[in-house]
Structures are given as C-alpha cells and as structure tokens.
C-alpha cells in the first residue's frame, strides 16, 4: 500500500504501511512536492537482545508489534463470565483513503473482533485533527479501558512544556527534560480542571516564543483525561492524550463503537507563536466562530458583569443605577450574575431552582431587562445548570437526581460525595433530570430578552456515578448535548464557559460556547500570566478579560487603572466593577480606554499574536499584528510593554518589536496612558523619557525586529500600550 502524504502551511505528515500497520514516519517540517522515496530506507538496525524485526511506532502503538511503550488500545473481551480475553489486539491496515489533506485509515483484527477507524485532517493553517473509533465486531461484550491518540516527535525534541495551576492561578507553564519513561498529566476532576495542561508541547532545547522547533498537542475533552509523553529505550518519543475512563465506563456490546475525543496537534519551526498561529487559524475558519472570516460577525461587545459590583445584593434600583453608569461609559452588554433565582441570597441554597425569585423580582426580570436594553445594551444572565444545592426545592423533590457513588439516593441511605462550595452535581445521565434542566433554561430564554448566558460549573465531579456506576464519560456527553440543544433552540444566544474561572477550558467545550472565562482572578498581575498562556491555544476574542476593582477581590493587590485596562484589552474586554463610583479624571480615563478598545477590537480579534523573547524576565512585550494591509492611519499592530516586577538592570535597554513586515516602515508611538490620564505619573521611574517616546519612532519592521527601541523605565506592575502605523518610507 502506498504511503500517504498530507502537507500544508509548512507542515508535512507522512504515513507508511510497510509494516502492515499504519505508522506516522514524519510529522514536522514540510517535505515539499517531490515523491516519497522507498520508505524501506528507514528500516532500523536490529540490536542485540531485541525482537528480531523492526518495531513500528504505529498510529496505534501495540504490543503485538513489540512496542514496549504505552499501548494506544487497552481493553478486554468478556465471554461466558470470563474477562480478560482478547487483551492484545493485532491491528493491521485494511484500507487507507486520502482526499485532499484528510485521510481515513481502517485497521482490523478479525481474531480479536475489533476494528479501529482513524480520521486525520491537516487543516489549512497547519493544525492536525486526529481521532479514532473502535468497533466491537465480536459476538460478546468488549470492555474498553483506553483508546489513546498519539504522535511521534523528532529526536531533537528534548524538552517538555505543559501547563498547570489552581483556582485563581490557572495556566502557568512548567518545563522538564524529556527522559526515558513516561511523563503523565492526569485530570481526575470530572471537568477539564484548573491544573489542566491546555497544551502539551515537546521542543528543541530552549525553544521560546519566536524560536525553536515545537510539536504540541491538545485533547478536546471536558471530562477526565490524560496527556503524556512516552519515551522508550530505543530513543523514540510519542506524545498524545486520551479520555481517562472510569471502571467499566465503556463496555461495547456487539456492533457498538466508541470514538475518542479529537487530539489537535501543531508543529512549528518558529517557536510557540507558530503553534498559536495554527490554532488561531483553525478557530477563525470555523463557520460558527464568533467573528467568521467571511464577514458578518458583530464586534465583541464591551461587557459589564455585576458580580464584583453587587455580589448577591440584587436590588432593582441599584442595578438600574449601575446600568445607567455602564451605558454612559459605553458598555454594550450588561450581565446579571449569581443571585437572581429562588432562595439565592448566598451560595448555600437555590441551585437547581431555575425560577426567577418572586420576592426579589415581583415583575420578573422584565424591568431590569427593559432598563438595560432601552439603554442600548444586551442583557446577559448567570446560570449554573449542572449543579444543585441540597437546600433547594428540586433536591427535596428529586433526591435521586443528585450524583453519588451509590445506586440509592441519599434519602434512601446512599452516600453522597463531600460538598464543594456547598453544592452537588445534578445527574444529567438521568433523562428526566436532563429534560428538567433543558426545559428550565429553555423557558428562561424564551420568556426573557437574554442575549448571553454566563454558564458556570463550580465544582469537581468527585465520586461521580449514575445508578451506582462511574459516569463521568456519560455526564460529559450529556452536558455537551445540553449545550447543543439549547444552541439549536436559541441560535442567537452566546454562551460563556465559566467553571469557577478556568476549570473548563478546552476545544470540546469551545465547540459549543462563544468564549471562556480564563480565571476568577481579575488581578492584572496574575492575569498577565494566565491570559498569556491561555492565549497560546485560544484566540483573544474567545477569552474574557475584565477590569476589576482598584483593589482585587481575590488577592487584595492594588493596581492603577491603566495597568488593569491594558491587561484586559487583549481579550474580549469588559469590566467587573461597581463603575458608579468611578468619577472625575479616572472616569474620563476609563471612557477613553473603552474608546481605544472599540477602535482596535477588529485588529485584536483577527490579528496574529506576537510575543517577544525578552531576556529580562521582569518585562513582557506582546501584541497583535494585522494580517491584512492597514488603511491609512489605521493601526497595523498594537503592543503592550509590561513590567511585572523590579528589574535587575537600571534600565531596560533596547527591546525588539517582532512580527511586523520587514520591508515596511512604521511609526511606533505610545497611546496609553497619556500625560493627561489620572495615573500617568505613576507609570515611570525615570528622570527623562527615551527620545522617541514623545513624538514616536519611525523605522522599518526589520530594524524594529533586529535593533529594537530603548524602552522607558516602567514602575513594577505597570504597562504601556504602543501602536504601530504603517507610513511611507
């Protein structure tokens, strides 16, 4: 069978069938249009004390080929009360078809009664999408324990980078050398998890933002999962991921199938920015993306969320005052957060009772919705449909709808998991519970002029079971179905995935939602790291970034408005703040900044993300560069210069500004904060500005990328917004 070659956007993927099974023998740099040589030239030598044959690193690595690493398929057949049968499949290629840059490969083991179909698509921007589907061809049940999607990386990939974190500190990087053995990142949260590795990357030594080769993967799944790197004794390394299945969660009856979550993967020879380009290209090419490439998408509106403004204190007069203040500032979407439904005065009660609280809202939400929409803003509402409080009418009426490890409800002696934020999980695998939740949210959307749902999920799914059996897999699928059906019924409503901040951020949920909440932390210093690494995969138009109060609710750290604003700019911008109290010069500064966002959001939400490799770890320079020719006077790029802490040196020296067209000439100028802004004087610790800062600098893109500009000496935890405009040479 002839090999398959998929290639686009500087990436090639070559699949050989010489061993009888499918094997990816190259995933990396583009190999060009030349025909493939006879791939037998790649047969390896056979060492002493080893199997007497070449061992393929298969598309589905398997022990039947003497692969000594982690196998892709694990499971066994159950027949006549005996388990453990057909534990080692010998899958061999049956068919392989190629259409454009998409391939379908079918491998089968008739003796074991198993067939695996693998679909691969290399998208135009270079992002690879891979998934497997296993079918039980036998006449007895087959228990599936794992089906992983894996890819080989080149021998010069010697470092691993993945992400970790916790509540209010999501998406922080960690690095380690690739060593013999298996490095596994496991998520057992029943959701993606605050500590989830949004990206799992292998690369050449010291790879950075703009340099080095990188091979990176992401598993598009919102339940339990694993990411891993598997390096075996012969020097080969595979990276990949899989859904982490609970005990007997997937038992395939005869003719039944299981399909893996998609593994998305990208290769770059230009560092991590090249990985981001591949992911952003895929996101923005989707027909349902919030800003479709073909046009017609509306700009991402300025948001005001009420949580850190009023918390549970819902009072119509106060909220209308807040709406008045928001409209005056230029807010375009007003979101009422937690506290509007029956019994919800605190977080101990009410979850599951998705009825407007008549004691708070005797006329329903209509007076507030009308007040908001009459002021030219959309109305949004917070919900948490997957959760339930024991102190709720629905929990009292249906204790059997509460998830737990026992088959019996807690009212009948069954044990419940420990509470988390005073709440439990409603069993969406139960069709009656699923229908109740769908009907309540559907009714809310039909009865109210709601344009946006902030959909929260505030706890892990611990000891998660249905009818006494592990059920995270089915719960995740049921939640997906809930999103899908509500979207189908209300196609104009946008949904945000919030999960106590960034605990459900993955491409599985992002196929069903219109943005994610990266963190419950609005502290600008923390957000610089959180947003930088979340943005490695997720483009800024899908990442909510808000200005919080002057003193952070979650860290008690105090920051000037300009630092908070510049941090929030490079996302879907909004505020979570009682803006009624913002007056005088600070209010004028905030209004001006909202105008800056509105002027430049088209660029921020369509441009190419650029992150400089700055030697001084106290400084960051990042921004977006337009991917189309800018009109006269229009910004070609925006950059943020950010000081996160005191520097070792007394001045930053020249910082290069990458990503601009080398042969074009640009004017670079600082646009925020300006001398008239309320906190401008706090920004710098210097006797004199660098010469260019007052009137701007004119230089070629090549000069800016190679020589750079001497940057001002920023105080710690301050930032400066720079604009680059193309000018005549």
């Amino acid at each position: 069978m002839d090999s398959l070659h998929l290639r686009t956007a500087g990436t090639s993927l070559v699949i050989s069938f010489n061993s009888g099974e499918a094997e990816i023998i190259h995933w990396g740099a583009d190999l060009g249009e030349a025909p493939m040589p006879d791939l037998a030239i790649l047969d390896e030598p056979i060492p002493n004390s080893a199997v007497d044959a070449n061992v393929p690193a298969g598309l589905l690595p398997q022990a039947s080929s003497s692969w000594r690493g982690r196998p892709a398929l694990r499971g066994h057949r159950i027949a006549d009360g005996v388990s453990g049968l057909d534990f080692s499949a010998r899958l061999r290629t049956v068919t392989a078809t190629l259409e454009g840059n998409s391939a379908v490969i079918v491998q089968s083991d008739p003796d074991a009664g198993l067939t695996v179909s693998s679909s691969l698509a290399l998208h135009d921007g270079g992002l690879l999408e891979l998934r497997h589907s296993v079918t039980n061809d036998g006449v007895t049940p087959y228990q599936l324990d794992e089906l992983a999607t894996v890819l080989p990386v080149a021998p010069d990939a010697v470092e691993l980078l993945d992400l970790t974190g916790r509540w209010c500190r999501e998406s922080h990087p960690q690095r380690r050398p690739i060593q013999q053995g298996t490095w596994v990142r496991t998520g057992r949260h029943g959701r993606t998890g605050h500590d989830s590795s949004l990206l799992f990357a292998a690369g050449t030594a010291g790879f950075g933002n703009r340099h080095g080769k990188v091979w990176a993967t992401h598993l598009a799944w919102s339940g339990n999962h694993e990411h891993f790197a598997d390096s075996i004794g012969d020097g080969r390394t595979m990276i990949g991921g899989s859904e982490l299945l609970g005990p007997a969660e997937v038992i395939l009856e005869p003719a039944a199938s299981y399909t893996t979550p998609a593994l998305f993967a990208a290769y770059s020879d230009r560092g991590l920015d090249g990985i981001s380009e591949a992911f952003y290209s895929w996101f923005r090419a989707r027909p349902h993306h919030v800003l479709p490439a073909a046009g017609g998408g509306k700009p991402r509106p300025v948001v005001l969320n009420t949580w850190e403004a009023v918390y549970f204190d819902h009072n119509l007069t106060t909220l209308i005052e807040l709406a008045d203040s928001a409209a005056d500032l230029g807010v375009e979407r007003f979101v009422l957060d937690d506290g509007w439904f029956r019994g919800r005065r605190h977080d101990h009660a009410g979850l599951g009772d998705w009825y407007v609280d008549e004691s708070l809202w005797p006329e329903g939400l209509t007076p507030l919705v009308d007040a908001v929409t009459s002021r030219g803003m959309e109305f949004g509402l917070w919900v948490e449909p997957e959760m339930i409080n024991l102190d709720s009418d629905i929990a009292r009426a249906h204790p059997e709808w509460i998830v737990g490890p026992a088959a019996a409800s807690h009212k009948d002696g069954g044990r419940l998991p420990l509470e988390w934020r005073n709440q439990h999980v409603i069993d969406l695998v139960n069709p009656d519970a699923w229908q109740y939740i769908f009907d309540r949210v559907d009714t809310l959307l039909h009865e109210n002029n709601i344009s946006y749902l902030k959909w929260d999920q505030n706890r892990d799914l611990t000891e998660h079971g249905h009818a006494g059996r592990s059920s995270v897999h089915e719960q995740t699928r049921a939640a997906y179905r809930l999103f899908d059906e509500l979207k189908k019924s209300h196609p104009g409503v946008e949904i945000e995935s919030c999960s106590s901040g960034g605990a459900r951020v993955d491409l599985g949920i992002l196929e069903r939602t219109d943005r994610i909440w990266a963190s419950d932390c609005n502290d600008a210093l923390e957000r610089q790291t959180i947003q930088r690494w979340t943005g490695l995969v997720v483009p800024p138009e899908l990442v909510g970034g808000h200005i919080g109060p002057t003193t952070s609710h979650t860290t008690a750290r105090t920051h000037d408005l300009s630092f908070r604003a510049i941090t929030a700019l490079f996302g879907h911008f909004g505020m979570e703040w009682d803006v009624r109290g913002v007056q005088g010069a600070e209010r004028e500064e905030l209004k001006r900044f909202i105008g800056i966002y509105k002027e430049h959001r088209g660029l921020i939400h369509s441009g190419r993300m650029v992150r400089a490799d700055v030697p001084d770890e106290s400084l960051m320079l990042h921004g977006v560069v337009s991917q189309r020719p800018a009109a006269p006077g229009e910004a070609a790029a925006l950059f943020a210069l950010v000081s996160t802490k005191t520097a070792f040196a007394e001045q930053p020296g020249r910082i290069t500004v990458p990503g601009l067209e080398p042969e074009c000439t640009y004017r670079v100028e600082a646009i925020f904060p300006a001398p008239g802004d309320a906190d401008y004087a706090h920004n710098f610790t210097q006797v004199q500005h660098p010469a260019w800062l007052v009137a701007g600098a004119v230089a070629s893109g090549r000069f800016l990328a190679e020589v750079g500009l001497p940057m001002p000496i920023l105080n710690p935890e301050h930032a400066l917004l720079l604009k680059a405009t193309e000018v005549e040479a």
Side-chain angles (χ1 to χ4, degrees):
M1 189 177 292
D2 292 338
S3 62
L4 302 182
H5 184 191
L6 290 67
R7 58 182 293 264
T8 189
T11 297
S12 278
L13 182 79
V14 180
I15 304 170
S16 169
F17 304 97
N18 283 358
S19 66
E21 60 182 285
E23 180 182 11
I24 295 175
I25 57 100
H26 175 78
W27 169 45
D30 185 11
L31 299 179
E33 297 180 359
M36 287 293 108
D38 180 355
L39 296 180
I41 63 175
L42 299 179
D43 285 354
E44 301 280 356
I46 297 175
N48 292 325
S49 189
V51 65
D52 296 331
N54 274 168
V55 176
L59 182 63
L60 293 157
Q62 47 193 327
S64 59
S65 297
S66 289
W67 180 258
R68 289 172 291 165
R70 183 176 170 133
L73 175 65
R74 291 191 300 108
H76 58 94
R77 189 168 298 284
I78 305 167
D80 299 325
V82 178
S83 61
L85 305 174
D86 294 328
F87 67 92
S88 179
R90 186 179 184 274
L91 297 164
R92 293 297 180 262
T93 305
V94 178
T95 61
T97 58
L98 179 67
E99 184 175 345
N101 271 324
S102 296
V104 175
I105 299 167
V106 177
Q107 300 182 92
S108 181
D109 181 351
D111 294 333
L114 296 171
T115 296
V116 179
S117 176
S118 304
S119 63
L120 304 92
L122 188 59
H123 296 285
D124 289 346
L127 190 67
L128 175 65
E129 183 177 355
L130 168 64
R131 55 168 57 83
H132 304 303
S133 182
V134 58
T135 300
N136 179 9
D137 301 325
V139 296
T140 59
Y142 181 84
Q143 179 173 315
L144 180 68
D145 296 325
E146 182 181 30
L147 181 55
T149 41
V150 298
L151 292 161
V153 297
D156 53 346
V158 295
E159 288 185 12
L160 286 176
L161 179 146
D162 54 29
L163 305 179
T164 186
R166 57 171 173 81
W167 179 71
C168 281
R169 197 180 185 272
E170 297 88 341
S171 296
H172 277 59
Q174 58 183 13
R175 286 190 185 238
R176 68 186 303 275
I178 292 178
Q179 296 172 316
Q180 189 171 323
T182 306
W183 172 251
V184 183
R185 292 295 313 282
T186 302
R188 300 182 187 273
H189 303 278
R191 53 178 173 171
T192 320
H194 289 104
D195 61 351
S196 172
S197 188
L198 182 63
L199 196 79
F200 195 91
T204 50
F207 67 90
N209 294 325
R210 307 282 298 172
H211 67 275
K213 297 179 185 178
V214 185
W215 295 259
T217 60
H218 168 91
L219 189 70
W221 182 245
S222 308
N224 291 337
H225 62 277
E226 288 190 335
H227 289 92
F228 55 84
D230 190 26
S231 187
I232 66 172
D234 63 15
R236 288 181 288 182
T237 298
M238 312 287 277
I239 61 173
S242 64
E243 179 184 3
L244 181 62
L245 296 171
E249 270 199 297
V250 175
I251 296 179
L252 299 176
E253 297 298 328
S257 298
Y258 163 88
T259 300
T260 67
L263 185 79
F264 288 88
Y267 164 77
S268 166
D269 61 2
R270 295 170 289 113
L272 292 166
D273 278 3
I275 299 295
S276 294
E277 284 186 36
F279 276 95
Y280 287 18
S281 173
W282 177 83
F283 270 110
R284 289 170 175 169
R286 301 178 305 165
H288 58 285
H289 191 61
V290 291
L291 293 168
K298 71 176 183 180
R300 305 301 277 148
V302 177
V303 176
L304 180 85
N305 184 276
T306 66
W307 178 244
E308 293 191 28
V310 300
Y311 299 101
F312 288 111
D313 185 15
H314 284 202
N315 174 281
L316 181 59
T317 300
T318 299
L319 289 166
I320 290 178
E321 289 176 358
L322 189 59
D324 278 330
S325 185
D328 173 69
L329 289 169
V331 168
E332 298 160 311
R333 175 180 286 163
F334 183 97
V335 181
L336 181 67
D337 211 292
D338 195 356
W340 57 268
F341 48 99
R342 285 181 185 167
R344 192 67 166 177
R345 302 296 178 274
H346 43 66
D347 65 3
H348 291 248
L351 286 177
D353 294 343
W354 301 111
Y355 294 86
V356 178
D357 193 322
E358 300 89 341
S359 64
L360 275 179
W361 307 93
E363 299 176 70
L365 293 175
T366 301
L368 179 60
V369 174
D370 288 349
V372 166
T373 55
S374 68
R375 288 158 176 77
M377 297 181 288
E378 297 175 354
F379 182 79
L381 191 67
W382 180 95
V383 292
E384 193 174 3
E386 298 156 82
M387 299 295 154
I388 190 168
N389 288 127
L390 292 182
D391 185 2
S392 65
D393 292 341
I394 197 65
R396 286 183 282 270
H398 290 284
E400 75 278 10
W401 288 2
I402 303 174
V403 164
S409 80
H410 72 103
K411 293 292 188 182
D412 297 320
R415 180 167 60 82
L416 286 178
L418 294 175
E419 284 195 325
W420 180 308
R421 200 174 180 253
N422 311 299
Q423 65 193 54
H424 290 277
V425 182
I426 196 163
D427 185 8
L428 296 179
V429 181
N430 183 311
D432 293 333
W434 186 97
Q435 193 64 51
Y436 165 78
I437 293 297
F438 174 84
D439 289 344
R440 289 311 313 141
V441 180
D442 181 58
T443 299
L444 279 168
L445 294 174
H446 275 301
E447 292 182 348
N448 299 279
N449 185 10
I450 296 169
S451 302
Y452 176 84
L453 288 178
K454 178 181 178 181
W455 187 306
D456 215 336
Q457 184 204 30
N458 272 312
R459 68 157 292 164
D460 280 2
L461 279 58
T462 53
E463 291 195 300
H464 191 95
H466 169 77
R469 293 167 60 92
S470 180
S471 63
V472 170
H473 170 76
E474 288 298 333
Q475 179 82 3
T476 307
R477 290 176 47 161
Y480 282 172
R481 191 168 68 254
L482 188 59
F483 282 99
D484 293 342
E485 292 302 315
L486 286 168
K487 275 283 194 176
K488 188 184 301 181
S489 297
H490 305 276
V493 174
E494 290 187 17
I495 301 178
E496 173 184 80
S497 171
C498 175
S499 187
S500 44
R504 186 156 64 179
V505 177
D506 60 80
L507 271 62
I509 202 67
L510 276 164
E511 270 297 276
R512 295 160 172 88
T513 56
D514 303 283
R515 82 171 205 170
I516 52 97
W517 187 231
S519 179
D520 280 344
C521 183
N522 283 320
D523 179 318
L525 182 63
E526 297 294 336
R527 273 280 182 152
Q528 281 291 332
T529 300
I530 292 167
Q531 291 176 192
R532 181 262 177 273
W533 292 98
T534 302
L536 191 59
V537 170
V538 186
E541 63 269 25
L542 298 180
V543 182
H546 291 180
I547 300 176
T550 305
T551 299
S552 169
H553 163 83
T554 56
T555 67
R557 192 183 276 131
T558 298
H559 288 129
D560 284 344
L561 172 59
S562 60
F563 185 53
R564 287 145 50 219
I566 291 172
T567 300
L569 177 66
F570 291 90
H572 181 188
F573 171 79
M575 291 163 284
E576 195 162 333
W577 185 16
D578 188 351
V579 293
R580 295 175 301 166
V582 184
Q583 299 297 332
E586 187 179 38
R587 190 171 186 87
E588 292 308 308
E589 181 178 356
L590 180 57
K591 279 186 176 180
R592 190 169 81 81
F593 189 81
I594 290 171
I596 289 173
Y597 169 74
K598 290 181 177 180
E599 179 184 357
H600 297 296
R601 60 185 161 188
L603 166 61
I604 295 167
H605 298 152
S606 66
R608 187 176 68 254
M609 184 64 70
V610 172
R611 307 172 187 92
D613 287 302
V614 181
D616 185 344
E617 63 177 16
S618 72
L619 284 176
M620 299 168 61
L621 182 81
H622 65 86
V624 287
V625 177
S626 179
Q627 301 195 75
R628 59 174 179 79
E634 183 182 47
L638 287 178
F639 295 96
L641 176 69
V642 181
S643 171
T644 58
K645 57 186 177 181
T646 56
F648 178 79
E650 63 185 8
Q651 61 185 26
R654 296 179 193 155
I655 304 295
T656 57
V657 183
L660 299 168
E661 290 296 324
E663 306 307 324
C664 293
T665 302
Y666 298 90
R667 175 180 296 279
V668 179
E669 54 190 326
I671 62 170
F672 187 82
D677 289 326
D679 53 19
Y680 181 77
H682 299 170
N683 231 37
F684 308 102
T685 177
Q686 56 192 11
V687 174
Q688 180 176 308
H689 291 302
W692 67 272
L693 196 62
V694 176
V698 175
S700 70
R702 190 181 305 278
F703 183 94
L704 292 167
E706 299 298 334
V707 178
L709 293 171
M711 291 298 172
I713 306 170
L714 290 173
N715 277 319
E717 299 172 32
H718 285 78
L720 190 64
L721 185 64
L722 308 177
K723 179 175 76 171
T725 309
E726 190 174 343
V727 297
E728 294 291 333

